[in-house]
Amino acid sequence: MKFCLRHLLLALILASLICGQALALTMDEVSADRAYGHVERLVGIGPRLAGSPAEALAADYIENEFRSYGLDVWMENFIVENSYVVEENSLSVVQPPKTLTCVPVVYSPSGTVLGPLLHLTGSVENENLLRERVVLVARDKLKRELADLPPLAILTYVENMPPMSEIWPNPPKAPMVWISGSDAQQLIELLENGQVEVELRLTARAESRMSRNVVACLPGESDEIIVVNAHHDSMLTLGAVDDASGVAVVLEIARALSTENLQRTVLFTTFSGEELGLLGSQDFVRRRENEPIVA
């Protein structure tokens, strides 16, 4: 995976440079290893939901990198009306004791739930039975009516995948979390040997928080502007490919071009709030309604 991602990052960097402008840059002047290092640093910060302390740390890291290239850098702050703050998040099997990794659905309600597990593989037939269970259901079989019942809690998964994250703007009525496909399979195997009781503790809330875009400027011979961008926020997961890899490519392009005299001005930008509805990019555009952005 590491080998493939390094080569993909290098290909993206070179393609961006070649398509953007004919420049005499060699393979030695752009670095897949350097780009991959940015991915590792951002992933190491953790989940970077817009408005969270982790997102602010990511923005600081990106700002410092841009400054190290000699670029003029600034932050553009904006308000995220509905950031999602998770204070407690744990899932465990009561007997035999086992702790599982879980990731809340964004805007899931809080709750402390202790109850028997039910693996749902078909349609909802006995609603009263479901209301008394913690329901395990594959994501492709998760229906809105199940979330509206509600059961005690919902555990969802995709086979052979790690825990994911997603947003439900119209939140489910019960606590809902993602687990990995492998953990789901273990729970299914436990159910084959008898009843399984699980405990979920989720304490979270939506609130207004400050977020920020990072903008770096490479002045050109004209006022015409090209924007090179990615987003540094993530869901409640590490966001390696969505979009730490994109940020890594932007940083490496910025480093490679930082000493060039270009025809047009370039704004290297990493947005926040992409996952919550393109909030950062909308703020960026509002600030530049009358500026000559050409690409």
Side-chain angles (χ1 to χ4, degrees):
M1 174 64 181
K2 182 180 291 188
F3 178 84
C4 293
L5 184 54
R6 278 199 174 100
H7 282 70
L8 175 60
L9 290 168
L10 182 58
L12 289 170
I13 295 163
L14 290 172
S16 299
L17 292 172
I18 292 167
C19 294
Q21 185 165 348
L23 296 171
L25 294 171
T26 69
M27 291 286 285
D28 293 335
E29 290 176 287
V30 294
S31 168
D33 285 343
R34 187 187 294 269
Y36 191 85
H38 295 314
V39 175
E40 290 185 316
R41 288 293 298 273
L42 292 169
V43 166
I45 292 171
R48 305 176 300 280
L49 195 71
S52 68
E55 183 261 311
L57 287 174
D60 288 341
Y61 171 76
I62 295 162
E63 178 187 25
N64 290 334
E65 285 298 309
F66 280 142
R67 289 195 190 284
S68 73
Y69 310 152
L71 300 174
D72 184 20
V73 189
W74 63 93
M75 298 277 196
E76 294 181 350
N77 296 331
F78 60 94
I79 297 296
V80 177
E81 297 292 348
N82 286 301
S83 187
Y84 185 67
V85 182
V86 180
E87 294 181 346
E88 182 183 20
N89 178 41
S90 66
L91 176 66
S92 60
V93 177
V94 176
Q95 189 64 38
K98 179 177 177 60
T99 299
L100 306 176
T101 299
C102 64
V103 178
V105 167
V106 177
Y107 305 134
S108 169
S110 299
T112 299
V113 172
L114 178 64
L117 185 68
L118 172 68
H119 183 211
L120 185 64
T121 58
S123 60
V124 177
E125 296 180 357
N126 188 335
E127 293 187 359
N128 291 327
L129 176 64
L130 290 181
R131 286 191 176 96
E132 300 169 359
R133 299 289 190 272
V134 176
V135 174
L136 173 67
V137 57
R139 184 62 183 86
D140 62 351
K141 298 184 183 301
L142 175 57
K143 307 300 183 183
R144 180 73 224 194
E145 55 263 31
L146 174 62
D148 288 341
L149 277 176
L152 295 177
I154 299 172
L155 316 181
T156 192
Y157 66 95
V158 172
E159 189 175 350
N160 299 321
M161 293 292 288
M164 300 189 198
S165 184
E166 62 180 332
I167 296 175
W168 283 45
N170 183 17
K173 294 181 180 179
M176 182 185 298
V177 299
W178 279 84
I179 64 173
S180 69
S182 58
D183 280 346
Q185 185 58 42
Q186 290 186 46
L187 290 175
I188 293 167
E189 292 171 0
L190 287 174
L191 282 169
E192 291 173 353
N193 296 317
Q195 181 170 298
V196 176
E197 192 169 46
V198 297
E199 181 178 36
L200 172 64
R201 294 178 175 271
L202 174 61
T203 304
R205 66 185 185 278
E207 68 177 31
S208 177
R209 287 196 164 191
M210 181 75 72
S211 188
R212 73 285 302 150
N213 297 328
V214 188
V215 185
C217 181
L218 177 62
E221 296 177 5
S222 75
D223 292 333
E224 290 187 333
I225 297 170
I226 294 175
V227 181
V228 180
N229 64 84
H231 68 92
H232 62 257
D233 66 308
S234 73
M235 299 286 280
L236 296 174
T237 51
L238 299 177
V241 296
D242 188 11
D243 188 27
S245 57
V247 172
V249 171
V250 170
L251 287 171
E252 188 60 6
I253 293 172
R255 187 189 67 82
L257 295 183
S258 61
T259 58
E260 298 289 334
N261 296 315
L262 303 180
Q263 178 183 350
R264 296 185 172 103
T265 295
V266 181
L267 292 183
F268 300 101
T269 309
T270 68
F271 300 124
S272 182
E274 191 274 349
E275 300 290 3
L276 297 180
L278 308 180
L279 304 179
S281 55
Q282 290 176 10
D283 182 80
F284 179 87
V285 170
R286 279 194 295 269
R287 294 171 186 261
R288 291 169 176 82
E289 289 181 350
N290 299 315
E291 295 186 14
I293 295 176
V294 297

